[in-house]
Every structure is written in structure tokens, then in C-alpha cells.
Amino acid sequence: MRIVITEFMSLDGVVQAPGGPDEDTDGGFAHGGWSHPFFDPEVVGGAFADAMGKAEALLFGRRTWQSMAAAWPGRAGDPFADQMNAVPKYVVSKTLGDGDLTWDNTTRIPGDEAVARIRKLHETDDGDLVVMGSPTLVRTLLREGLVDELRLMIMPVILGGGKTIFPDDGALRTLELVSTVISGNGVHVCTYRACRP
């Protein structure tokens, strides 16, 4: 499976809590919901719809999965929500038990087995495994060389600090820009592919 990362990102690389004020306040982060003024259904929504159209499964870290699991099941009847609810989902967690998996079609990957289990998924020929949010997980996937594509929705805002997806291990990683689209309110949707040796 190709591992495809989709992220809302500020100009200074922050991906923390784009969706709402209480989504993730770690570190005193006070700008939750910062992506809303820049969302447009055609360009930004279209980028998500395109990624979901190719997704055979979704992969989340625990916090992002819990936010999604609280939001999507109640939106049945909307085609995007129906797809989110129906598609197979994986959540990486050290703390969730199988009894906590209230969102249909979710499989838990224990945190200590995450890299090995995701590597096995990556080696199958089953379409795209799409990751949304989940900065800690994405940093691990980038560090391990498991990311095939980054789809970044870079928004014209500076947040001054917060969680990022980029490893800080000093390693050089080269990407190829394969497409870019700019929305009317200045969001750059940039798709990068990993350059494999």
C-alpha cells in the first residue's frame, strides 16, 4: 500500500489542532480551529475527496482517531461521511483496548508493534493507506522511510509554535513536487512524493 499523508499546515509547519479549540491543547496550544477561515470546498475539500477516493484504508494515531470517531459516525447520509465510516481503519495506540474501538471497521495496532505492522501493510498491493493528522505517527513514518506521498494544505497563517510532522533527527530527505493548486484564499495544496534511492 502507498502511505499517503494529508495535513492542514501553517506556514511555520504547525499541524496541531486545525479542527477545533479543544482538539489538542498540549503545550498550551491556544489556536485550535485555525484552519477554518482558509477552508474552501473546491480546492481544500477537493484534495481530501481525491485522497479518500483512492483510499483502501485509513491510519490514525490515537488522539486523531478518537476525534474522528466522535465526529463521523453521527454524520451518516453524507457521501463523504459514509465513506469515512465504511472504509477499514487502523489506529496505533498503547492505551486503547479492543473494547474501545467504537468506530466501525477499526483495527488496533499496538504502539510497540506499529512500525513492523505498518511496514507489512506497506508491502501489500492494496491501494492507498491514508493518514490524516496524527503528527507523532507521521513523524515516525517519515523517519522510517514509510511515506510515499505528502499532501500538504499549507495555509497563510503563522502559529508561532505547536506540533509538526517533521523529524528533527538531522537526516536529509528529498521529495519531488508533483502538483500544486492554489485556492482563492491563498491555500497551497502541494503534493510531494518521496524520492526513493
Side-chain angles (χ1 to χ4, degrees), residues 135-185:
T136 303
L137 174 61
V138 172
R139 267 194 309 280
T140 299
L141 297 174
L142 283 166
R143 190 175 60 244
E144 294 291 329
L146 289 170
V147 173
D148 297 289
E149 185 173 291
L150 283 167
R151 187 172 297 206
L152 306 178
M153 284 144 278
I154 303 166
M155 302 193 167
V157 61
I158 295 171
L159 298 172
K163 295 178 182 176
T164 77
I165 60 169
F166 302 118
D168 59 0
D169 56 6
L172 177 71
R173 295 170 177 89
T174 304
L175 304 171
E176 174 192 5
L177 177 65
V178 294
S179 73
T180 187
V181 180
I182 304 172
S183 75
N185 54 7

Side-chain angles (χ1 to χ4, degrees), residues 12 15 18 27 34 38 52 63 73 83 91 93 97 100 110 116 119 123 133 142 148 153 159 165 180:
D12 53 345
V15 299
W34 55 268
F38 309 105
M52 282 300 295
R63 186 192 302 263
Q83 184 180 15
V91 56
S93 176
D100 298 316
R119 197 175 300 282
E123 291 167 357
L142 283 166
D148 297 289
M153 284 144 278
L159 298 172
I165 60 169
T180 187

Side-chain angles (χ1 to χ4, degrees), residues 8 35-42 44-46 48 153 155 183 185 187:
F8 294 120
S35 70
H36 292 294
F38 309 105
F39 187 89
D40 82 289
E42 186 177 329
V44 177
F48 270 101
M153 284 144 278
M155 302 193 167
S183 75
N185 54 7
V187 179

Side-chain angles (χ1 to χ4, degrees), residues 39-180:
F39 187 89
D40 82 289
E42 186 177 329
V43 175
V44 177
F48 270 101
D50 183 61
M52 282 300 295
K54 299 171 185 168
E56 292 296 323
L58 302 177
L59 174 64
F60 298 104
R62 181 209 31 98
R63 186 192 302 263
T64 303
W65 180 87
Q66 286 178 311
S67 294
M68 297 283 200
W72 288 106
R75 299 182 188 176
D78 169 89
F80 189 83
D82 290 347
Q83 184 180 15
M84 288 287 288
N85 291 323
V87 71
K89 291 166 279 288
Y90 297 93
V91 56
V92 175
S93 176
K94 295 177 183 175
T95 57
L96 291 175
D98 290 336
D100 298 316
L101 305 181
T102 55
W103 195 10
D104 287 347
N105 305 313
T106 297
T107 301
R108 184 177 63 88
I109 297 176
D112 58 351
E113 299 174 17
V115 171
R117 296 268 301 270
I118 294 167
R119 197 175 300 282
K120 283 186 179 178
L121 289 169
H122 191 237
E123 291 167 357
T124 65
D125 292 325
D126 291 330
D128 288 358
L129 180 61
V130 175
V131 185
M132 299 175 186
S134 311
T136 303
L137 174 61
V138 172
R139 267 194 309 280
T140 299
L141 297 174
L142 283 166
R143 190 175 60 244
E144 294 291 329
L146 289 170
V147 173
D148 297 289
E149 185 173 291
L150 283 167
R151 187 172 297 206
L152 306 178
M153 284 144 278
I154 303 166
M155 302 193 167
V157 61
I158 295 171
L159 298 172
K163 295 178 182 176
T164 77
I165 60 169
F166 302 118
D168 59 0
D169 56 6
L172 177 71
R173 295 170 177 89
T174 304
L175 304 171
E176 174 192 5
L177 177 65
V178 294
S179 73
T180 187

